[in-house]
């Protein structure tokens, strides 16, 4: 199920949030599914614009209130002497107070590119504005740390397409929407018959390898 950014940010409890999680993520909360010595990074990527000034609010900045006469948030919840958080995000305020949330505000890069699409590439590749990389910051981590990993994939993305952030030179994440449907499709006799197929043409061979990788990933997921 897709949810809009605004709807997600209004979530104020883990109970509510858990209803929106895919089943395979819910399974990770079970004791037997978690290795206490293993760290798991979950990245929630909100693609598109967010009104940062009304999320983390410059509560003591006169310019903010002067220029945003009808949009300014008057009753923000204090995070620091200078900044507050939108009152709709009360649960995140609790996390902050408990030392479980950090805020990196006003993040940018020199010589910013005003193209939305180019800015997305810069963000996901962690590159300079004058660099053009075909790998992402998480993908390069997979290249460095997962060349001997024992699972078909060490990173999963819940989406139709794989983000640049998760593409490495030699390793990449696996993108999918519905794990149950993925597995059922991968078990069909037709696809199974192609699993070990090889072809002399490099492009066709790559497609067969991709199919084999998908079947392995479906079994693992």
């Amino acid at each position: 199920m897709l949810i809009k950014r605004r709807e997600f940010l209004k979530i104020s409890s883990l109970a509510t949030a858990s209803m929106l999680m895919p089943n395979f993520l819910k399974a990770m909360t079970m004791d037997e599914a978690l290795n206490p010595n293993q760290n798991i990074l979950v990245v929630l990527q909100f693609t598109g614009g967010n009104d940062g000034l009304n999320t983390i609010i410059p509560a003591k900045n006169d310019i903010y209130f002067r220029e945003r006469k009808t949009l300014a948030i008057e009753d923000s919840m204090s995070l620091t002497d200078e900044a507050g958080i939108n009152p709709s995000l009360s649960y995140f305020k609790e996390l902050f107070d408990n030392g479980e949330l950090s805020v990196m505000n006003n993040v940018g890069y020199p010589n910013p590119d005003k193209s939305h699409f180019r800015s997305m590439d810069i963000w996901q590749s962690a590159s300079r504005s004058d660099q053009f990389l075909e790998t992402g910051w998480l993908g390069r981590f997979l290249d460095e740390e997962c060349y001997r990993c024992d699972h078909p994939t060490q990173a999963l993305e819940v989406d139709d397409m794989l983000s640049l952030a998760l593409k490495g030179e030699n390793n990449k994440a696996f993108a999918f929407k519905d794990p149950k449907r993925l597995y059922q499709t991968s078990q069909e006799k037709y696809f199974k018959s192609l699993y070990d197929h090889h072809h002399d043409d490099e492009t066709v061979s790559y497609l067969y390898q991709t199919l084999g990788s998908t079947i392995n990933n479906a079994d693992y997921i």
Side-chain angles (χ1 to χ4, degrees):
M1 178 178 67
L2 292 177
I3 59 173
K4 295 180 180 179
R5 178 190 303 103
R6 183 173 298 176
E7 293 170 347
F8 180 85
L9 291 176
K10 286 182 178 179
I11 295 171
S12 59
S13 70
L14 282 176
T16 305
S18 67
M19 296 174 62
L20 303 175
M21 289 182 182
N23 287 333
F24 81 94
L25 282 181
K26 291 182 183 179
M28 296 304 293
T29 64
M30 301 177 182
D31 291 339
E32 61 270 22
L34 294 175
N35 182 339
N37 298 317
Q38 184 179 30
N39 294 322
I40 298 175
L41 173 66
V42 178
V43 178
L44 298 176
Q45 178 174 296
F46 297 148
T47 302
N50 175 61
D51 188 352
L53 287 174
N54 275 7
T55 302
I56 303 300
I57 298 154
K60 299 296 179 65
N61 191 314
D62 293 338
I63 299 175
Y64 166 78
F65 292 100
R66 185 177 70 239
E67 298 297 327
R68 291 196 163 206
K69 294 182 175 62
T70 60
L71 295 176
I73 303 296
E74 302 280 354
D75 56 345
S76 65
M77 298 177 292
S78 178
L79 296 179
T80 68
D81 291 340
E82 300 293 331
I85 192 169
N86 193 299
S88 297
L89 304 177
S90 58
Y91 178 69
F92 293 95
K93 173 67 162 67
E94 292 179 26
L95 292 177
F96 183 86
D97 291 342
N98 292 334
E100 298 172 335
L101 173 70
S102 295
V103 176
M104 291 183 290
N105 207 19
N106 300 321
V107 176
Y109 56 90
N111 304 314
D113 190 295
K114 295 183 179 180
S115 164
H116 172 75
F117 301 103
R118 175 64 186 135
S119 296
M120 290 284 291
D121 287 345
I122 294 170
W123 170 32
Q124 294 194 29
S125 63
S127 62
R128 300 190 308 268
S129 58
D130 60 349
Q131 281 183 305
F132 293 85
L133 302 182
E134 295 182 357
T135 59
W137 64 280
L138 287 169
R140 293 194 294 275
F141 172 82
L142 296 176
D143 281 341
E144 289 292 327
E145 300 295 332
C146 295
Y147 58 93
R148 291 182 179 176
C149 292
D150 56 350
H151 293 304
T153 181
Q154 292 293 312
L156 303 173
E157 179 170 7
V158 185
D159 204 348
D160 291 321
M161 296 180 62
L162 186 63
S163 300
L164 173 60
L166 286 157
K167 293 180 180 179
E169 187 73 31
N170 302 306
N171 290 289
K172 54 177 64 70
F174 184 73
F176 65 98
K177 272 291 185 67
D178 186 338
K180 184 176 181 180
R181 183 179 179 184
L182 171 68
Y183 179 76
Q184 290 174 340
T185 303
S186 72
Q187 299 305 302
E188 292 181 6
K189 185 180 296 185
Y190 174 73
F191 293 115
K192 284 289 190 180
S193 68
L194 299 176
Y195 180 76
D196 292 322
H197 197 88
H198 300 282
H199 199 281
D200 293 335
D201 183 86
E202 183 177 350
T203 302
V204 177
S205 178
Y206 171 77
L207 293 175
Y208 281 123
Q209 291 175 12
T210 301
L211 173 62
S213 175
T214 300
I215 292 175
N216 286 335
N217 289 335
D219 290 338
Y220 169 57
I221 294 169

